[in-house]
Amino acid sequence: MTDAPYRLAGRRVWVAGHGGMVGAALVRRLAREDCEILTVGRAEVDLRRQSDVEAWLADVRPQAVVMAAATVGGIQANDSRPAEFIYDNLAIETNVVHGAWRCGVEKLLFLGSSCIYPRDAAQPMAEDALLTGPLEATNQWYAVAKIAGLKLCQAYRRQYGCDFITAMPANLYGPGDNFDPASSHVIAALLHKAHEAKTAGADSLAVWGSGRPRREFLYVEDLADALAFLLQNYSGEAHVNVGAGKDIAIGELAALIAEVTGFAGDLAFDPSKPDGTPRKLLDVSRLRALGWAPSTGLRDGLAQTYRWYCENALA
Ligand code: GDP
């Protein structure tokens, strides 16, 4: 087992899932670390197929792996496609973690999500709240898969001495997000809908649910920086929460998004859509004690994401 600190310089680092929002941000961040970044496209390697993953690992032999590959989506996608969310994520995790052990990967970082915690966990949610109560129903399939991934890393550490670590990020947003309103998370959905409403001269913006649930949002460039930090400075069985340290009500978020996008109409809350879990705020004291803190405020992050959307997502 390698002990922290782990030096990325000169290492071959596979970013699994480099095409997604998190993977792409990691590739940008790791470019500053003097390591060799390895990536492979979906058409070449389907991470849900064990033989594909084993062949790729045997071929490229990475020394470090970051698992940013996952089937992800917002509350409606999670709720309506449970089989995909549980199967894809379990398959990706077992294939990559087992394959990494077999080919002698020195360091692996697995990414979970704050939805692994019980629906009614005390706030802010500390790492030891895991498995102390029932999960939120709308994303339980994804949460169960992510809990299994965390446990896989712990098991391979215990039995084989692998330096596999796990991080649990808050709700993420930023450049490269999925802006399709049917499957996206709330920030991308509302940026898109507010932009469309402004452009169409509409007088209201549809916001799902009551507006009362509270969420913690972390800018993806900050997440990538935290992951580069953890790879180099953390080695341990316990998972580490990665968050901004504050949350906001969805209604307030929608008002802020209206401001950032220049939409001047009303917010129309739609109670026929689910609220999901009432509050998700991570206790980030473990990560703070290790020496990392985020640097992007929500308003700045939203403005940068909106700029990215206008330049890249409006085809
Ligand atoms: P969650 O953290 O798994 O619930 O993920 P989401 O980002 O999908 O949703 C967060 C909260 O935002 C929930 O309470 C949603 O009901 C609310 N929300 C409001 N408007 C929207 C929208 O247009 N899309 C999504 N995905 N959520 C919305």
Side-chain angles (χ1 to χ4, degrees):
M1 193 184 304
T2 48
D3 285 323
Y6 177 76
R7 292 179 60 78
L8 283 174
R11 295 300 208 290
R12 296 161 61 71
V13 185
W14 175 29
V15 177
H18 71 287
M21 171 174 70
V22 173
L26 257 165
V27 168
R28 289 193 290 276
R29 175 61 187 80
L30 291 177
R32 308 205 314 253
E33 292 297 334
D34 200 21
C35 54
E36 185 185 346
I37 300 168
L38 309 168
T39 59
V40 65
R42 228 172 253 228
E44 206 181 322
V45 173
D46 181 340
L47 295 174
R48 295 167 301 185
R49 297 181 67 90
Q50 188 176 29
S51 52
D52 280 19
V53 175
E54 287 186 346
W56 157 255
L57 283 167
D59 185 31
V60 302
R61 303 205 79 80
Q63 289 157 301
V65 175
V66 188
M67 290 187 60
T71 290
V72 298
I75 192 164
Q76 183 163 280
N78 264 273
D79 208 18
S80 58
R81 290 162 32 210
E84 282 170 60
F85 277 81
I86 194 162
Y87 172 78
D88 288 4
N89 288 307
L90 284 173
I92 293 168
E93 291 157 15
T94 50
N95 293 340
V96 176
V97 169
H98 187 71
W101 163 63
R102 281 186 46 157
C103 79
V105 164
E106 298 162 353
K107 186 112 198 175
L108 178 144
L109 171 53
F110 173 75
L111 281 184
S113 155
S114 58
C115 70
I116 62 164
Y117 293 112
R119 175 188 162 86
D120 297 320
Q123 306 284 325
M125 302 180 289
E127 284 86 353
D128 62 9
L130 184 67
L131 294 173
T132 56
L135 297 165
E136 154 63 26
T138 50
N139 54 24
Q140 59 180 310
W141 322 98
Y142 180 76
V144 163
K146 288 296 185 182
I147 293 170
L150 183 163
K151 290 290 171 192
L152 264 174
C153 291
Q154 291 180 340
Y156 279 70
R157 171 178 286 273
R158 279 200 194 176
Q159 186 172 345
Y160 304 129
C162 299
D163 190 1
F164 293 176
I165 59 173
T166 59
M168 298 301 136
N171 283 32
L172 301 168
Y173 72 101
D177 208 344
N178 161 26
F179 287 89
D180 168 12
S183 59
S184 61
H185 287 98
V186 60
I187 287 186
L190 291 181
L191 282 171
H192 174 76
K193 291 195 289 188
H195 179 84
E196 301 247 291
K198 178 182 76 170
T199 314
D203 20 276
S204 71
L205 166 63
V207 182
W208 293 357
S210 65
R212 285 192 300 270
R214 300 184 68 86
R215 294 288 183 275
E216 173 184 16
F217 296 103
L218 182 67
Y219 191 51
V220 73
E221 306 294 335
D222 279 347
L223 173 76
D225 190 60
L227 300 180
F229 174 85
L230 286 170
L231 272 170
Q232 298 179 89
N233 296 290
Y234 180 70
S235 174
E237 183 176 301
H239 61 283
V240 181
N241 288 341
V242 184
K246 22 180 153 155
D247 62 355
I248 182 172
I250 296 299
E252 278 174 70
L253 172 76
L256 194 54
I257 286 179
E259 230 177 279
V260 164
T261 55
F263 169 72
D266 297 329
L267 305 178
F269 293 97
D270 176 359
S272 74
K273 297 285 190 192
D275 268 346
T277 203
R279 192 175 181 201
K280 268 194 280 183
L281 174 64
L282 292 170
D283 179 338
V284 289
S285 39
R286 183 173 285 168
L287 183 58
R288 290 283 164 94
L290 286 166
W292 187 88
S295 56
T296 314
L298 184 58
R299 181 184 291 270
D300 277 357
L302 289 175
Q304 289 175 44
T305 307
Y306 184 51
R307 194 171 320 126
W308 187 92
Y309 166 84
C310 291
E311 287 166 7
N312 298 276
L314 292 175

